[in-house]
Amino acid sequence: MERIYLDHGATTPLSREVLEEMMPYLTEKYGNPSSIHSFGREAKKAIEDAREKVAKAINADPGEIVFTGGGTEADNLAIKGIARGYRHKGNHIITSAVEHHAVLDACLSLQKEGFEVTVLPVDEYGMVSVDDVKNAITDKTILITIMHANNEVGTIQPIAEIGAIAKERGVYFHTDAVQTVGKIPVDVKELKVDLLSLSAHKIYGPKGVGALYVRKGLKLEPLTNGGGQERKRRPGTENVAGIVGLGKAIELAVAEMSVEAERLIKLRDKLIKGVLEKIPYVKLNGHPTLRLPHNANFSVEFVEGESMLLMLDMKGIAASSGSACTSGSLDPSHVLLAMGIPHEVAHGSLRLTLGKSNTEQQVDYVLEVLPGIVERLREMSPLYNQKVLGGE
């Protein structure tokens, strides 16, 4: 049985070209980048080359890129680093109800240090209102953090408009772009952001490495103390092979982006149309058009999401019901609840995220298999029998 991977929002396979670029730094080029001998200089140069690639991909300066251990660390460094670095200017942070937990939990953890956090609501599509952001700003606001696009429902936020307001009001602005870099155009100047997080493993790079763009001139308190690496913003011996992998992955992703996005949009739209036509009591979650090229998220009524995933897995299809980072939780998605989806419907969510390996034939197979799975699960649902079949 062919295995079909439709969980590219959770992670992507490491591309062969990226692995080839990394291999020398896992074997013969093992120097510590802080060493002054030739082995160290070789490793240092590899890091700086990768820094240039990351900077070029998002229209930043290489000196504005800080390498981290992933997207979660980049989010925490941005939020806590700015909050603690500019505590003298204010103690108010603005975020949204649909952020990744790396952002939400980082913001809420700062409440213990005396910071105030405003969590903005979203509309039915998971979109933040620009006016809500504007109205939430006070003279104590030092940071706004709103994601570029949602990891669960794929909705793309009005980042450039929020960035213009933040700039006008003298408030620092961070965006979590883990789901957008390499998928849609990301330009830090056009988006008017001061800080931006990204991760390698969402773009066919290695796990455990990411980066944070920090606009020149910003004061950022490090999360950890130790050496002087990454201009003292992220101490510790660098993950050279991982950083090299991120550099290659982002270079490839940006080069292939327009062609791949066009291909994925066709597959995504075919998938959405097919699911909505073939299965009753199903709703598309997220914005119908302002969404990521590879994301399709549905609420399937009268079905438990986990049962659906297990049955799809038995048919060789890997999918998810939301963020992989909260897959151990029994609670429904905080994103869907924030969008006003009822608790019992949010439990039946299905996220299908496409990638390089997916074909039209695979989408056809999913559309062939999924309706039968939903039908079987609904036959076992007392709620379905009661509400739809009238208790027959």
Side-chain angles (χ1 to χ4, degrees), residues 198-209:
L198 59 93
S199 176
H201 79 104
K202 308 291 189 188
I203 50 171
Y204 306 91
K207 293 170 183 66
V209 63

Side-chain angles (χ1 to χ4, degrees), residues 123-127 153-156 268 272 284-292 295 339:
D123 66 13
E124 61 185 298
Y125 300 124
M127 187 84 75
V153 300
T155 297
I156 300 168
R268 178 201 71 187
I272 290 170
L284 176 71
N285 295 320
H287 199 282
T289 53
L290 298 172
R291 71 184 302 127
L292 290 168
N295 177 295
M339 287 161 59

